[in-house]
Amino acid sequence: MDIAILGFGTVGAGAYETIRDSHCGLNVKRILDIRVPLGFEHIVTSDYNEILDDPDIELVAEAIGGLHPAYEFVSAALKAGKHVVSANKHLICHYFRELHALAAEHHCMLRFTPSAGGGIPWLYNLQRQKRCDEILWLRGIMNGTTNYILDAMQHLGSQFDEVLNTAKALGYAEADPSADIDGLDVRRKCAISASIAYDTALSEEDVPTFGIRNITRRDIAYFDSLGMTCKLLGCARRDGNRVIAYVEPTLLPAGAIESSVGTNYNCITLFGRKVGRLSFLGQGAGKYPTGCAMVQDMLDIAAGIRFPAPTITQVVPDPSIYPHRYYIRTSAHVPDDIAERRDGNVVMTVPLSVTDIHRFASQAQNTDPRIFLAGLEDNIE
Ligand code: HSE
């Protein structure tokens, strides 16, 4: 199959080299980029029409990132009857409904496994499991930068800023690392995952999010004393026609699988009514892992492996359906009716909904901008 790669940055080059080295039957006929690396003059173009108008190119692999012009390129490809593979979480999250409708209308396949979980075949397996099972919940470490930071703070005693700088130098972090540490990167991945699992089309705004910006070594020492490990998780579950998806630092017992996931690894789990727990561990980012995931999607399309088009139903986001306990460390006042136990400026709460904790935190932030909170997850199933 002849394909085109849009964007010859880290991920696009990873996909190109994976195809070149594996002799897997795909042929990269064109690469779209404004820079022309030495030796690539014969296939690189900066004119997208050369790709769009080429009837031999059956598939477009988008690795540009961002919303524009990625959206214009991808929607034009689908309208021209070309299959699309995208690694772009921002694009897929934002235009989930619209791009699926376009693909269905033009009888094309749209695949985006690398957009959440990087090299991990997470979305692929979520779609696959969903064909014959009910996904009771999903949750996971979906961001390598924050896992690297939390792991180094816990096991090496590193300071937050120092380890964030290392993560940037290693190329894990987003261009603006606030997208990592404030949980916005996980929010998109979580919205995409929940949309697939629960036949909906969640937007980023449907996913209440706390990050790890304010975590301190003292917090971590306190968690250690409780035998708990803190991980930034994206979580989702469904109750009837309501779905909750949220991102928050989460305290897990030492025996939970996620607790032992170190460095920049991701680990994402689905729990199916029939299959039980399926956990996927691997590199959630990087040139070759993400490039490989793109190529796997291309090969599935070339082999004609289709998933049912998502049926976008009337499932509505409702962040009130899964109350759980929280750790709060703050100098702000925590009312008695939500405090189960106090220890200095630390409070363990009664079960609160995600809506309740966000309402509390947005008020408390006025007096204590350094507030940190984490959900408690006792379930290690
Ligand atoms: N900054 C992201 C991470 C890259 O650290 O996981 C992959 O989306």
Side-chain angles (χ1 to χ4, degrees):
M1 178 186 268
D2 283 348
I3 70 139
I5 295 175
L6 312 187
F8 205 40
T10 305
V11 173
Y16 173 82
E17 290 174 35
T18 302
I19 291 169
R20 181 197 63 196
D21 298 344
S22 63
H23 309 288
C24 57
L26 297 170
N27 173 45
V28 182
K29 191 167 180 202
R30 280 267 180 263
I31 293 170
L32 182 75
D33 208 297
I34 42 175
R35 298 153 305 168
V36 185
L38 216 57
F40 286 85
E41 296 81 357
H42 58 299
I43 50 172
V44 172
T45 175
S46 58
D47 178 3
Y48 187 48
N49 287 325
E50 282 185 24
I51 292 168
L52 218 46
D53 297 340
D54 185 337
D56 293 342
I57 295 176
E58 294 179 62
L59 185 152
V60 163
E62 184 268 314
I64 299 175
L67 284 184
H68 304 287
Y71 167 71
E72 287 73 18
F73 288 165
V74 162
S75 45
L78 292 169
K79 284 178 192 162
K82 298 183 193 300
H83 306 298
V84 167
V85 171
S86 174
N88 185 339
K89 61 209 155 197
H90 198 176
L91 174 81
I92 298 299
C93 181
H94 199 82
Y95 291 108
F96 189 89
R97 194 186 291 263
E98 192 172 339
L99 292 178
H100 277 99
L102 265 183
E105 190 187 337
H106 296 278
H107 310 289
C108 302
M109 287 191 250
L110 168 68
R111 299 284 295 270
F112 41 87
T113 301
S115 69
I120 306 173
W122 156 245
L123 291 178
Y124 166 80
N125 277 291
L126 181 62
Q127 284 181 301
R128 204 162 165 268
Q129 191 58 30
K130 203 192 145 261
R131 295 183 298 193
C132 64
D133 201 358
E134 179 189 354
I135 310 299
L136 297 181
W137 54 260
L138 66 88
R139 76 169 186 225
I141 299 167
M142 304 182 183
N143 180 274
T145 301
T146 46
N147 202 56
Y148 186 82
I149 293 171
L150 293 171
D151 187 49
M153 287 179 81
Q154 184 182 4
H155 294 112
L156 306 175
S158 309
Q159 296 283 5
F160 186 96
D161 288 338
E162 162 204 337
V163 69
L164 173 60
N165 284 333
T166 314
K168 279 195 230 169
L170 288 169
Y172 304 150
E174 298 292 301
D176 175 2
S178 50
D180 296 296
I181 62 180
D182 293 328
L184 311 179
D185 173 73
V186 180
R187 182 157 76 156
R188 289 178 183 142
K189 295 166 178 170
C190 187
I192 295 169
S193 303
S195 296
I196 289 174
Y198 300 123
D199 289 322
T200 181
L202 296 186
S203 68
E204 291 180 57
E205 291 70 33
D206 295 324
V207 184
T209 297
F210 274 115
I212 61 159
R213 180 182 287 274
N214 288 348
I215 196 168
T216 63
R217 278 170 58 181
R218 265 193 167 179
D219 293 314
I220 302 241
Y222 193 86
F223 306 150
D224 257 346
S225 73
L226 300 175
M228 308 289 272
T229 295
C230 183
K231 296 292 186 186
L232 182 66
L233 298 187
C235 309
R237 58 179 69 219
R238 179 178 179 166
D239 181 2
N241 70 345
R242 295 180 300 165
V243 65
I244 179 171
Y246 57 99
V247 177
E248 62 190 23
T250 305
L251 301 187
L252 296 147
I257 286 179
E258 293 89 345
S259 297
S260 61
V261 175
T263 63
N264 65 326
Y265 274 84
N266 285 197
C267 176
I268 319 178
T269 295
L270 66 82
F271 198 96
R273 187 178 291 284
K274 292 198 168 59
V275 77
R277 180 178 183 130
L278 287 178
S279 293
F280 301 88
L281 172 78
Q283 286 288 341
K287 178 176 179 178
Y288 295 115
T290 312
C292 271
M294 285 202 98
V295 175
Q296 293 284 20
D297 275 356
M298 296 181 214
L299 290 172
D300 282 348
I301 290 175
I305 298 172
R306 281 184 181 271
F307 288 112
T311 41
I312 297 181
T313 55
Q314 293 310 310
V315 174
V316 288
D318 181 351
S320 72
I321 61 174
Y322 180 58
H324 50 283
R325 293 162 64 229
Y326 282 88
Y327 163 97
I328 304 175
R329 187 262 302 141
T330 183
S331 56
H333 172 66
V334 181
D336 281 344
D337 62 332
I338 67 166
E340 186 180 89
R341 194 157 54 80
R342 293 180 190 269
D343 184 2
N345 64 354
V346 166
V347 171
M348 294 294 186
T349 73
V350 298
L352 296 174
S353 70
V354 174
T355 313
D356 290 338
I357 194 74
H358 276 259
R359 193 177 300 128
F360 165 76
S362 67
Q363 280 170 7
Q365 270 158 353
N366 294 328
T367 48
D368 178 16
R370 301 297 301 167
I371 183 174
F372 181 72
L373 61 84
L376 265 78
E377 183 56 79
D378 300 326
N379 178 7
I380 61 167
E381 228 175 339

